[in-house]
């Protein structure tokens, strides 16, 4: 089967302005339709890597390409329509006064006409099971509801790739199960950073382990999750 | 006659100062609708629109779009910070206005925008301050409060140099003075509207806020120390200053002095101020038949006195500003020589 | 806390459904007319108060709602209290406090009462507006009424994070108070120390706000933010809404005129 690379990262390094080296020579290719889990201890560089995928951070060293487009300069806007980024803290993601405004935000910036924006908001809210929440205000939603609406805000942009930073963090068991079921129903290529190895086992055939900014393992989750020594060496553990 | 009421109204204003808005925040200086005459309200609206319009233009021209969420979130922070209080004694408590803190951490124009957002939302949503008088409240808290806080902070911290306690001490002095001067502006507006005689409003507002300002100063100093320890990059170094910035902090300090000089003068000649108010048609009472039959309400020849008051205030301001500047320069030169 | 903060009171009334632009303009006009009324224009004050009450009943808020909330401006009234004694006029009563003798004049009492009444009426119009209009609708009205776009965007983001930081401030306060045992007259330390602790909490909020704003900015960028601000514009006003607006303005103007002529 011919596989189309959707995201190509080559020799990417990144250093924060305060001198913290967060990524070291990271290379990674994700193909269309794949589901990849990024795991690793706190501070491994997962969030930093994710912020490179739609140009929030410009690559200092190395390259990032999405659907063949370099994530730089004039292409950044196109890339942002292709890659839907869901942030770790939904309070960062949901910055509008109402749920409707928030979900409509991305489509509005894509320059879509008003009725198309409204249709997309409807569809995105329905996809995450939150129909009728348009008038609600974000600060009165539960953590699980916020997470799902955060997902809707990027679904409304109809991206080819979904990138989620710790989608199950902070959810209760039922909220977590609901979110996992929701993610499983999504047809898009998916990259997820997580500490939830059970979710990785159930949902993500491929797993990349990051530690201190480097890729230390990349392969089928089933194999890597069985390698106790490897997991332990990088502060991970399958419950 | 009017002078005898000073004592009682001081006590009264103490209670205003303790007044707490629906958000749990303070409202010592938020003038409600009805307390300023229409012409006074409109004049301050015009001043506020011009100055804040300029600040908005500066902010959107000079700073990247990153600043929009920054200014908005920090406005929310200041609003929330105003809810934090500490008990002083007997049920009274100290709290924060935040103009100086914003001015020190963000610079004057961005701080003006932040305080505009805070004061406007308080008025529009929480009735903490009126709508017609919003221009005057913006003038006091977002313009005077910020400019005085910024100017005084720059002057004092320059004079103190690199000493360890320069930041909290400058922050305290600047915050205290910005509160007192904003309160004086508030008192003058009330007097100009004929709502409160100047010889009572000025000492009462000034006196009460000289106390409230201590809380503001301590909180501001504490906040600056915290930020300096946690994120030193956020407390802008005072080293280099462009000519424009210099003009600005001298202007801010001068504004403090103008109001500080003008208000006691005005309160020494309260009838002068009321005469001005009346002549301008500011005093609605003038149109009221009840008052027009009272002959001693108009003082002949007072115009020169009122004029003299204002001229003296401006001259005095310039002199004091010049002296302050020279002293600061001298202190700094000596510090660098050592 | 969130519910305490948001003054909007959802009801299914006509006033809630009215266009926010109309409501904002009418509320501001009402406050302007109230302020422009001369002192002692009692018939006009009563008419305006009746109008507020009628509107709050129509908005299904009940008669007491604005009346009670309107009291928030009262403490400030003390600033006008000296008018009672400083206004020249027939002495009404003398107050003797030690060596001080204060002469209250009838004219002074009327001036003071007028300031109070005008303030009380104005604040009720403002309360009525915020209780019947969602904040997002207020924002839309502000945009339509040409408030600078940058300022409206800041209002909108500020509103969203107001609740978050109000909550964080409350959490900080509880954390402090739960460790502030009151064991005697000396407990809690000096006032200056308490003030500095509070200052530290404010500084803490500030740093959190700074860092939060960076992440919010990233989240905005990720969905296409480019410094420009895009929203749906409001639909143009219908002719019936124009008529309602014109009617309200005419009534207010008439009230104002009455007050000025016969006040
Ligand atoms: N804004 C920043 N400034 C400086 N250093 C940062 C910043 N953000 C993250 N870092 C540092 O970069 C490194 C990688 O952080 P990153 O947030 O990418 O880790 P992570 O794998 O997402 O961790 P977690 O599982 O805790 O979310 C860490 O050492 C962190 O301290
Ligand atoms: Mg992370």
């Amino acid at each position: 089967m011919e596989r189309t690379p959707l995201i190509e990262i080559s020799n990417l390094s990144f250093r924060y302005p305060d001198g913290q080296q967060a990524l070291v020579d990271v290379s990674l290719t994700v193909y269309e339709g794949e589901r990849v889990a990024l795991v690793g201890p706190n501070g491994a560089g997962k969030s930093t890597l994710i912020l490179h995928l739609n140009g929030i951070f410009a690559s200092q060293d190395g390259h990032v390409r999405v659907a063949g487009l370099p994530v730089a300069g004039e292409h950044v806007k196109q890339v942002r329509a292709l890659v839907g980024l869901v942030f770790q803290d939904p309070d960062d993601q949901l910055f509008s006064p109402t749920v409707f405004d928030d979900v409509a935000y991305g489509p509005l910036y894509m320059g879509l006409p008003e009725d198309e924006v409204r249709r997309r908001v409807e569809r995105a809210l329905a996809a995450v099971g939150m129909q009728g929440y348009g008038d609600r205000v974000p600060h009165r939603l539960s953590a699980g509801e916020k997470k799902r609406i955060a997902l809707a805000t990027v679904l409304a942009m109809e991206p080819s790739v979904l990138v989620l930073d710790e989608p199950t963090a902070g959810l209760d068991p039922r909220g977590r199960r609901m979110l996992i079921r929701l993610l499983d129903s999504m047809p898009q290529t998916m990259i997820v950073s997580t500490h939830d190895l059970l979710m990785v086992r159930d949902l993500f055939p491929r797993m990349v382990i990051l530690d201190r900014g480097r890729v230390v393992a990349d392969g089928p989750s089933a194999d890597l999750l069985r390698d106790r020594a490897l997991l332990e060496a990088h502060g991970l553990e399958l419950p | 006659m009017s002078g005898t009421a000073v004592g009682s109204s001081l006590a009264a204003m103490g209670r205003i100062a303790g007044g707490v808005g629906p958000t749990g925040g303070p409202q010592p200086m938020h003038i409600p609708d009805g307390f300023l005459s229409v012409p006074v309200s409109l004049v301050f609206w015009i001043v506020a629109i011009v100055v804040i319009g300029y600040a908005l233009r500066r902010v959107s021209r000079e700073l990247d779009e990153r600043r929009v969420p920054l200014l908005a979130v920090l406005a929310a922070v200041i609003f929330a910070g105003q809810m934090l209080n500490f008990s002083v004694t007997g049920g009274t408590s100290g709290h924060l206005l935040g103009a100086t803190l914003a001015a020190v951490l963000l610079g004057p124009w961005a701080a003006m925008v932040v305080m505009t957002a805070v004061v406007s939302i308080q008025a529009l949503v929480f009735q903490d301050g009126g709508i017609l008088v919003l221009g005057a409240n913006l003038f006091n808290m977002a313009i005077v409060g910020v400019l005085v806080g910024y100017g005084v902070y720059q002057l004092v911290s320059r004079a103190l140099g690199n000493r360890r306690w320069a930041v909290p001490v400058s922050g305290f002095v600047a915050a205290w003075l910005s509160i007192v001067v904003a309160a004086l502006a508030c008192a003058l507006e009330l007097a100009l509207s004929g709502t409160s005689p100047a010889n009572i409003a000025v000492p009462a507002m000034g006196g009460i806020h000289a106390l409230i300002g201590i809380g503001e100063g301590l909180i501001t100093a504490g906040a600056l120390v915290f930020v300096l320890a946690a994120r030193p990059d956020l407390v802008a170094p005072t080293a280099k200053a462009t000519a424009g910035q210099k003009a600005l902090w001298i202007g801010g300090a001068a504004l403090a002095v103008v109001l500080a000089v003008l208000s006691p003068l005005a309160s020494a000649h309260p009838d002068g101020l009321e005469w001005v108010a009346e002549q301008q048609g500011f005093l609605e009472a003038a149109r009221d038949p009840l008052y027009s039959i009272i002959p001693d309400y108009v003082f002949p020849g007072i115009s020169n006195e009122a004029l003299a008051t204002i001229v003296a205030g401006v001259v005095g301001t310039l002199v004091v500003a010049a002296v302050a500047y020279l002293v600061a320069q001298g202190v700094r030169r000596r510090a660098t020589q050592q | 806390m969130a519910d305490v903060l948001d003054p909007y009171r959802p009801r299914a009334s006509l006033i809630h459904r009215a266009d926010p632009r109309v409501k904002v303009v009418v509320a501001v006009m009402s406050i302007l007319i109230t302020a422009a009324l001369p002192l002692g224009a009692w018939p006009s004050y009563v008419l305006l108060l009746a109008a507020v009450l009628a509107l709050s009943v129509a908005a299904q808020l009940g008669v007491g709602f604005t009346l009670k909330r309107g009291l928030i401006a009262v403490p400030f009234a003390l600033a006008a209290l000296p008018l009672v004694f400083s206004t020249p006029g027939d002495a009404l009563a003398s107050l003797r406090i030690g060596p001080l003798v204060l002469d209250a004049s009838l004219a002074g009492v009327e001036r003071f009462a007028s300031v109070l009444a005008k303030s009380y009426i104005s604040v009720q119009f403002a309360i009525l507006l915020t209780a019947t209009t969602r904040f997002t609708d207020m924002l839309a009205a502000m945009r339509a009424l040409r408030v600078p776009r940058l300022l409206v965007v800041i209002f909108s983001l500020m509103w969203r994070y107001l609740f978050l930081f109000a909550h964080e401030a409350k959490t900080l306060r509880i954390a402090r108070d739960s460790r502030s045992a009151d064991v005697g007259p000396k407990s809690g330390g000096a006032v200056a120390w308490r003030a500095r602790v509070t200052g530290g909490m404010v500084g803490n909020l500030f740093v959190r706000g700074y860092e939060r704003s960076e992440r919010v900015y990233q989240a905005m960028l990720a969905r296409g933010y480019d410094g420009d601000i895009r929203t749906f514009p409001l639909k143009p006003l219908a002719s019936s809404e124009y008529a309602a607006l014109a009617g309200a303005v005419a009534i207010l103007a008439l009230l104002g005129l009455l007050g000025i002529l016969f006040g």
Side-chain angles (χ1 to χ4, degrees):
Chain A
M1 179 179 92
E2 184 63 27
R3 297 210 296 173
T4 334
L6 197 51
I7 292 182
E8 300 157 275
I9 302 167
S10 51
N11 312 103
L12 182 68
S13 296
F14 185 81
R15 186 192 285 274
Y16 277 101
D18 66 354
Q20 179 70 33
Q21 185 80 42
L23 295 176
V24 186
D25 199 23
V26 171
S27 293
L28 184 68
T29 304
V30 176
Y31 296 90
E32 211 171 302
E34 264 196 312
R35 285 180 179 173
V36 181
L38 279 177
V39 301
N42 289 133
K46 305 181 293 291
S47 298
T48 310
L49 180 59
I50 279 176
L51 289 173
H52 279 84
L53 297 181
N54 70 359
I56 304 292
F57 288 163
S59 48
Q60 296 170 341
D61 209 3
H63 300 281
V64 183
R65 298 171 82 85
V66 173
L69 299 167
V71 184
E74 78 227 78
H75 301 295
V76 168
K77 285 208 94 160
Q78 273 167 281
V79 168
R80 284 183 183 155
L82 287 173
V83 180
L85 201 58
V86 181
F87 286 68
Q88 186 165 342
D89 182 350
D91 280 325
D92 296 336
Q93 178 102 15
L94 305 177
F95 46 72
S96 307
T98 67
V99 168
F100 178 89
D101 289 343
D102 231 312
V103 181
Y105 191 91
L108 261 177
Y109 269 80
M110 294 164 78
L112 299 173
E114 181 171 339
D115 44 345
E116 171 65 9
V117 172
R118 291 188 189 281
R119 236 192 327 272
R120 286 202 182 198
V121 172
E122 288 286 303
R123 228 180 301 151
L125 285 176
V128 298
M130 301 290 286
Q131 303 95 314
Y133 273 65
D135 279 343
R136 297 283 292 269
V137 283
H139 62 264
R140 279 192 219 151
L141 301 172
S142 75
E145 291 169 336
K146 280 187 196 169
K147 287 261 186 187
R148 286 195 276 158
I149 287 172
L151 182 57
T153 63
V154 306
L155 288 179
M157 299 170 75
E158 302 188 347
S160 324
V161 193
L162 285 178
V163 180
L164 297 98
D165 201 350
E166 308 206 8
T168 55
L171 295 183
D172 65 10
R174 192 166 46 130
R176 174 180 170 277
R177 257 201 322 280
M178 269 160 84
L179 196 89
I180 290 178
R181 218 177 300 133
L182 188 59
L183 291 182
D184 199 19
S185 71
M186 300 282 147
Q188 288 93 340
T189 307
M190 199 179 291
I191 301 176
V192 161
S193 107
T194 186
H195 297 288
D196 184 346
L197 295 187
L198 287 175
M199 174 179 73
V200 174
R201 190 190 61 192
D202 296 343
L203 222 57
F204 295 88
R206 180 177 165 200
M207 170 170 151
V208 174
I209 302 181
L210 223 58
D211 197 358
R212 285 186 224 140
R214 293 171 200 275
V215 175
V216 294
D218 179 355
S221 307
D223 298 348
L224 296 184
L225 287 172
R226 224 176 292 130
D227 189 343
R228 290 177 144 250
L230 175 72
L231 294 185
E232 204 166 308
H234 300 290
L236 301 167
E237 144 183 304
L238 190 63
Chain B
M1 198 167 27
S2 49
T4 54
V6 172
S8 68
S9 73
L10 253 172
M13 288 199 192
R15 257 165 286 140
I16 303 169
V20 165
T23 54
Q27 48 166 345
M29 231 186 285
H30 296 63
I31 308 172
D33 276 321
F35 283 79
L36 297 186
S37 67
V38 175
V40 169
S41 306
L42 294 183
V43 165
F44 280 98
W45 258 117
I46 293 169
V47 175
I49 287 171
V50 169
V51 179
I52 293 165
Y54 178 74
L56 280 169
R57 232 172 313 129
R58 287 283 295 244
V59 167
S60 48
R61 197 179 57 215
E62 285 173 12
L63 310 165
D64 58 27
E65 71 270 29
R66 177 183 298 263
R67 301 289 272 200
V68 175
L70 175 69
L71 299 185
V73 171
L74 291 185
V77 164
I78 289 197
F79 190 101
Q82 293 185 347
M83 296 173 168
L84 291 170
N85 53 4
F86 62 94
S87 60
V88 178
T89 174
T92 58
S93 60
H95 22 218
L96 181 78
L97 179 66
T100 302
L101 184 62
V104 172
L105 292 172
L106 295 167
W109 304 116
M112 236 180 246
V113 173
V114 166
M115 289 309 294
T116 297
V118 172
V119 174
S120 305
I121 291 298
Q122 281 171 335
L124 296 175
V125 182
F126 301 107
Q127 287 81 46
D128 220 350
I131 289 175
L132 187 62
V133 300
L134 179 57
N137 280 328
L138 286 173
F139 177 79
N140 301 342
M141 290 179 274
I143 297 176
V144 172
V146 164
L147 282 182
V148 170
Y150 181 77
V152 173
Y153 181 85
Q154 296 297 331
L155 273 178
V156 176
S157 67
R158 249 153 247 275
L160 294 178
N162 281 333
R163 293 181 183 83
R164 202 165 42 83
W165 36 267
V167 167
V169 169
S170 327
F172 176 87
V173 175
W176 181 81
L177 209 59
S178 94
I179 289 294
V180 173
V181 174
L184 293 180
C186 178
L188 288 179
E189 287 150 13
L190 289 170
L192 218 48
S193 299
T195 308
S196 196
N199 59 339
I200 294 171
V202 168
M205 285 297 263
I208 288 301
H209 284 85
L211 289 177
I212 291 182
I214 295 174
E216 176 86 11
L218 289 171
I219 295 180
T220 302
L224 286 174
V225 168
F226 184 95
V227 176
L228 197 62
R231 288 288 302 268
D233 53 310
L234 298 186
V235 185
T238 51
K240 52 200 179 299
T242 63
Q245 280 169 325
K246 244 179 212 170
L248 203 62
W249 52 257
I250 292 174
L255 191 61
V257 181
V258 168
L259 282 163
V261 170
L262 199 58
S263 334
L265 281 178
S267 75
H269 305 281
D271 305 319
L273 202 61
E274 288 201 0
W275 185 88
V276 172
E278 197 184 4
Q279 286 301 298
Q280 304 299 322
F282 283 5
L283 211 59
E284 289 144 275
R287 258 172 284 137
D288 200 303
L290 241 171
Y291 299 103
S292 53
I293 50 169
I294 300 164
D296 79 345
Y297 203 67
V298 179
F299 290 85
I302 208 86
S303 73
N304 299 333
E305 212 177 313
L307 205 65
T309 303
I310 290 165
V311 170
V314 172
V315 171
T317 300
L318 291 178
V319 171
V320 177
V323 170
Y325 179 71
L326 291 174
V327 169
Q329 286 287 320
V331 171
R332 199 160 53 122
R333 203 166 302 128
R334 223 184 39 220
T336 50
Q337 274 165 6
Q338 278 166 0
Chain C
M1 169 150 263
D3 292 296
V4 179
L5 265 184
D6 191 346
Y8 178 68
R9 294 288 170 271
R11 302 279 190 279
S13 84
L14 200 66
I15 294 181
H16 282 73
R17 267 177 287 136
D19 187 277
R21 284 163 293 190
V22 174
K23 283 192 273 187
V24 168
V25 171
V26 171
V28 171
M29 279 289 292
S30 313
I31 292 169
L32 181 67
I33 294 289
T34 309
L37 285 176
L39 298 169
W42 297 104
S44 303
Y45 299 167
V46 172
L47 283 176
L48 279 168
L49 194 62
V52 183
L53 292 183
L55 288 172
S56 39
V57 170
Q60 300 170 16
L61 295 167
V63 186
F65 184 82
T66 56
L67 283 181
K68 231 175 15 243
R69 267 153 215 269
L71 295 175
I72 71 163
V74 165
F76 203 94
L78 294 160
L81 191 59
L83 284 178
V84 172
F85 308 104
S86 70
T87 311
D90 300 330
L92 197 66
S94 281
L95 199 63
R96 190 176 295 274
I97 311 168
L100 294 180
V101 182
L102 300 178
D103 292 320
S105 67
L106 186 60
V109 170
E110 179 160 44
R111 253 174 109 177
F112 174 68
S114 299
V115 167
L116 216 62
K118 287 164 78 167
S119 178
Y120 186 55
I121 294 166
S122 306
V123 81
Q124 294 191 58
F125 278 112
I127 290 167
L128 199 57
L129 175 66
T130 52
T132 61
T133 314
R134 276 203 187 82
F135 187 69
T136 41
D137 292 334
M138 293 260 252
L139 291 175
M142 285 185 221
R143 268 189 292 267
L145 297 170
R146 300 276 178 277
V147 175
R149 288 165 73 81
L150 180 59
L151 210 50
V152 180
V153 173
I154 289 178
F155 286 166
S156 157
L157 278 166
M158 175 189 175
W159 179 252
R160 167 68 180 89
Y161 290 100
L162 203 65
F163 297 94
L164 198 91
F165 282 101
H167 182 76
E168 291 195 9
K170 195 177 147 204
T171 314
L172 279 174
R173 204 169 56 195
I174 290 170
R176 176 192 64 184
D177 293 348
S178 70
R179 281 179 284 159
S180 321
D182 192 355
V183 290
K186 277 265 165 120
S187 63
V191 170
W193 180 80
R194 285 204 294 272
R196 261 193 299 124
V197 170
T198 308
M201 286 157 58
V202 171
N204 187 338
L205 277 186
F206 195 94
V207 170
R208 287 195 216 177
Y210 199 91
E211 286 167 359
R212 164 89 53 196
S213 82
E214 283 183 344
R215 298 195 305 271
V216 170
Y217 174 64
Q218 291 173 350
M220 290 168 76
L221 276 186
R223 282 190 273 154
Y225 177 65
D226 52 10
D228 185 33
I229 293 106
R230 271 160 249 186
T231 42
F232 292 136
L234 286 172
K235 286 192 221 32
L237 285 180
S239 51
S240 62
E241 286 168 323
Y242 272 118
L245 183 59
V249 170
I251 291 171
L252 283 168
L254 205 66
L255 263 174
L257 207 62
L258 269 177
I260 288 165
L261 289 181
F262 306 106

